[in-house]
Amino acid sequence: MNSPATAPAEPTAADRRRWARYLVEERAEAHVYQQLAQRRDGEEREILLELAAAEGRHEAHWLELLGGEPQRLPRPGLRARVLGWMAGRFGSIFVLALAQSAEARSPYDSEVYATPAMRADEKVHFEVVRGLAARGRRQLSGSFRAAVFGANDGLVSNLALVLGIGATGVSSGFVLFSGFAGLLAGALSMGAGEFVSVRSQRELLEATEENGHGDATASDLDLDENELALVYRARGMDADESLQRARRVVSAAKAGMAQRATGPLRVPTGDGDEHEIIGNAWPAAISSFLLFASGAIVPVLPWIFGMQGTPAVLVALALVGVALLGTGATVGVLSGGPPLRRGLRQLAIGFGAAAVTYVLGLLFNVSMG
């Protein structure tokens, strides 16, 4: 156990209350990592258990300063309780993203009773959790990108449409019809566009992937003067390394080992599965369609339930505002950014677009009048 940094000789009652709070927070964080580890396997499970063990060491430090287990301890903070609840039931990327944000705000930087090793641990924990969260983000990035943008586009575009149409003074029935037309047209356009986009990206990657066209003829190449080395040079290896690799491949082929060679013409890039990062075309298209439709229906709800005029507009704005705040906050959580700031940004952009079309609708109504 490292000795604490320079600290007052006699801790105050406030110091002890602060230590007790640190103690319960460390226990709560260890519990989160243990819960997540139960839903993982292999390397990720080992990493999470190591993080839990590190939090246990921090817990032991505060227990030592407190002189043992206190009779009364404060409850963990709301964030820690929410994380523990989510980790036990979902074990998802949301939990890791929230844990990343929590690790970024360590109180130990200004805590004189925390050891230098504990301060360093917290900074390392942030990087470890960010790395684990990045794996989940890569798996989600394709379909999640389509889902978030689909929902946001549905909310903003259809709100702008119904407000702009409503401002011209037409009947509520016409506003409702326009809203449904915008929903269907936008959802079909989003789904088709996402399908074409993702499929085109995958086809472009497939066209650049390595293949085994030369495997069957590798044994016929000259050991010292062979063009197989050019294949590796074209893929980024230097001349000497390319020639050595080509010689190994040709030697194995001449020895009758071509079938057992592990991908002789493939040069591992170490970048992971780019197809996984992009996502699949059909899931992306379907999620775009459904999420756009689910977003686009929100501004139309007041007219569906028979409202009209200014009350319908105000209710539509309130519903869309809540939804925009929710999608923005979700993106903030998953990206490790401030959820409130991201939510307010989404709200400002959405309401700004709607305001433009509403003003245009008013102007058009005046000119028609």
Side-chain angles (χ1 to χ4, degrees):
M1 178 71 64
N2 292 326
S3 60
T6 303
E10 292 296 331
T12 65
D15 291 331
R16 297 183 65 82
R17 287 194 297 270
R18 194 170 63 253
W19 299 344
R21 187 172 67 252
Y22 292 151
L23 173 64
V24 297
E25 292 293 335
E26 293 290 2
R27 285 178 176 173
E29 289 179 11
H31 176 70
V32 168
Y33 294 135
Q34 289 166 353
Q35 292 286 92
L36 288 173
Q38 292 178 7
R39 296 175 174 271
R40 299 293 199 278
D41 52 26
E43 186 182 31
E44 283 194 38
R45 176 183 174 84
E46 294 177 6
I47 292 172
L48 289 164
L49 290 176
E50 287 291 337
L51 286 174
E55 303 295 0
R57 291 193 296 272
H58 296 178
E59 174 191 341
H61 172 78
W62 301 119
L63 273 176
E64 181 180 341
L65 289 181
L66 288 165
E69 184 77 17
Q71 292 184 350
R72 297 181 60 184
L73 285 172
R75 293 185 67 192
L78 177 62
R79 177 186 291 270
R81 296 200 302 272
V82 170
L83 277 176
W85 181 85
M86 293 179 66
R89 289 160 178 79
F90 305 111
S92 67
I93 175 60
F94 284 93
V95 181
L96 286 171
L98 288 169
Q100 176 185 331
S101 299
E103 292 287 0
R105 293 187 296 272
S106 171
Y108 294 163
D109 290 339
S110 58
E111 175 55 65
V112 295
Y113 286 96
T115 67
M118 291 169 65
R119 298 188 188 100
D121 283 348
E122 292 299 315
K123 290 180 171 56
V124 171
H125 290 180
F126 170 75
E127 294 298 333
V128 173
V129 175
R130 182 168 66 175
L132 292 175
R135 298 184 182 187
R137 290 185 180 111
R138 282 194 293 268
Q139 294 171 355
L140 280 175
S141 59
S143 57
F144 178 74
R145 172 177 55 86
V148 169
F149 286 119
N152 190 70
D153 285 351
L155 288 164
V156 175
S157 64
N158 231 27
L159 177 66
L161 176 64
V162 297
L163 291 189
I165 293 293
T168 63
V170 299
S171 67
S172 60
F174 191 83
V175 174
L176 181 59
F177 171 79
S178 300
F180 275 113
L183 183 156
L184 186 59
L188 288 171
S189 175
M190 285 290 294
E194 193 66 29
F195 180 88
V196 171
S197 173
V198 174
R199 177 60 64 87
S200 299
Q201 284 182 284
R202 292 178 68 87
E203 290 172 349
L204 182 63
L205 278 177
E206 288 169 359
T208 61
E209 280 184 344
E210 306 142 8
N211 56 62
H213 290 336
D215 291 6
T217 59
S219 61
D220 297 327
L221 293 171
D222 184 89
L223 183 61
D224 295 315
E225 301 293 336
N226 69 78
E227 294 182 353
L228 185 57
L230 298 179
V231 174
Y232 301 125
R233 292 179 65 181
R235 293 173 185 167
M237 286 186 175
D238 60 41
D240 291 338
E241 186 180 4
S242 297
L243 184 58
Q244 292 175 8
R245 185 179 179 90
R247 284 174 175 171
R248 289 198 301 270
V249 171
V250 173
S251 297
K254 288 181 179 294
M257 295 166 53
Q259 295 300 319
R260 285 187 288 171
T262 319
L265 293 183
R266 295 182 181 272
V267 182
T269 62
D271 294 333
D273 187 355
E274 290 180 299
H275 291 72
E276 179 181 296
I277 296 174
I278 293 173
N280 294 314
W282 277 112
I286 292 171
S287 62
S288 284
F289 179 93
L290 295 177
L291 267 297
F292 184 96
S294 65
I297 196 67
V298 173
V300 188
L301 289 175
W303 285 272
I304 291 177
F305 288 99
M307 299 182 68
Q308 54 186 328
T310 302
V313 170
L314 294 176
V315 172
L317 286 172
L319 293 174
V320 172
V322 171
L324 288 173
L325 286 171
T327 58
T330 300
V331 173
V333 168
L334 289 176
S335 64
L340 180 59
R341 187 183 303 172
R342 299 292 171 86
L344 291 175
R345 183 179 67 183
Q346 294 279 84
L347 184 66
I349 293 172
F351 278 10
V356 170
T357 58
Y358 185 74
V359 171
L360 291 175
L362 289 175
L363 294 174
F364 184 76
N365 186 29
V366 170
S367 65
M368 289 294 289

